[in-house]
Amino acid sequence: FILALHPSIPGVMASQDGDVTMVDAAGADEPAPARDNNQDANANGQDSAPAGQPPSIVTAATEEERFALELEFVSSLANPAYLHHLAMHGYFDDESFVMFLEYLLYWTKPPYCQHVQYPHALAFLELLQTSAFRAAIKNGNVKQACQQQQFASWTFLRDNAARAAYGLGETTTEVATPGE
């Protein structure tokens, strides 16, 4: 479902007659679950997308479905490996995808941000607004550095939560580095 949010993300495609097809990374098609949709079909029931272009993406979704889809996508941005994957496959070079990321910034503000489970997702969403970060995340070393910083942050939060929960004294401001 998540991949139906933006036309430049491969995965879920729909023809104009409403047939939905899921495409995996290898390009193999499998029919998606049937869905009732009242979109107009063209006369012969074939997709009318121009040659060499994918069919239109499913856009008919209820507010609840759209909320869930966008939340899932925003949450996935907390994964530096996924960001690296998107960068390596040229998604950040697509102007419409960059505009989609800009649109998603409303998730960084209340009341939407309270639904995001991974705060790093919001930080990365803000970083993705800059062309410098979008270019940098293509570098495997930058991806690795982001993962290490996440680990250090999680360790810091975990350690301080344990100290506070068990009354083991003051919380610390020292951040552990991976491997310590």
Side-chain angles (χ1 to χ4, degrees):
F1 291 111
I2 187 172
L3 299 176
L5 287 176
H6 190 269
S8 71
I9 304 174
V12 178
M13 298 188 296
S15 64
Q16 289 187 354
D17 63 357
D19 292 335
V20 178
T21 302
M22 293 184 186
V23 180
D24 65 16
D29 294 354
E30 65 179 59
R35 80 177 185 75
D36 183 21
N37 117 5
N38 296 324
Q39 295 177 338
D40 293 332
N42 64 11
N44 62 5
Q46 298 295 316
D47 182 35
S48 63
Q53 293 186 10
S56 61
I57 299 299
V58 176
T59 57
T62 66
E63 287 183 35
E64 294 84 12
E65 290 171 331
R66 184 146 191 101
F67 177 86
L69 293 171
E70 287 181 3
L71 176 59
E72 185 176 349
F73 180 75
V74 168
S75 296
S76 71
L77 297 178
N79 183 344
Y82 180 60
L83 299 178
H84 178 72
H85 169 81
L86 291 174
M88 293 304 294
H89 288 86
Y91 294 105
F92 298 149
D93 299 327
D94 179 355
E95 188 61 34
S96 67
F97 188 78
V98 172
M99 289 176 16
F100 177 64
L101 291 172
E102 184 178 348
Y103 156 77
L104 291 173
L105 278 174
Y106 77 89
W107 282 95
T108 63
K109 297 176 179 42
Y112 300 98
C113 63
Q114 71 189 23
H115 298 283
V116 178
Q117 183 175 2
Y118 307 108
H120 286 131
L122 301 177
F124 283 127
L125 178 59
E126 290 179 351
L127 284 170
L128 286 169
Q129 303 306 309
T130 67
S131 59
F133 182 76
R134 291 191 306 267
I137 197 66
K138 287 182 180 179
N139 183 322
N141 292 332
V142 172
K143 174 194 75 160
Q144 185 68 26
C146 287
Q147 290 173 324
Q148 290 172 345
Q149 287 297 312
Q150 269 188 331
F151 178 80
S153 174
W154 294 333
T155 302
F156 172 79
L157 292 172
R158 180 200 65 207
D159 291 349
N160 279 332
R163 282 187 185 93
Y166 297 109
L168 299 175
E170 296 294 316
T171 58
T172 182
T173 57
E174 295 178 27
V175 176
T177 57
E180 285 188 1

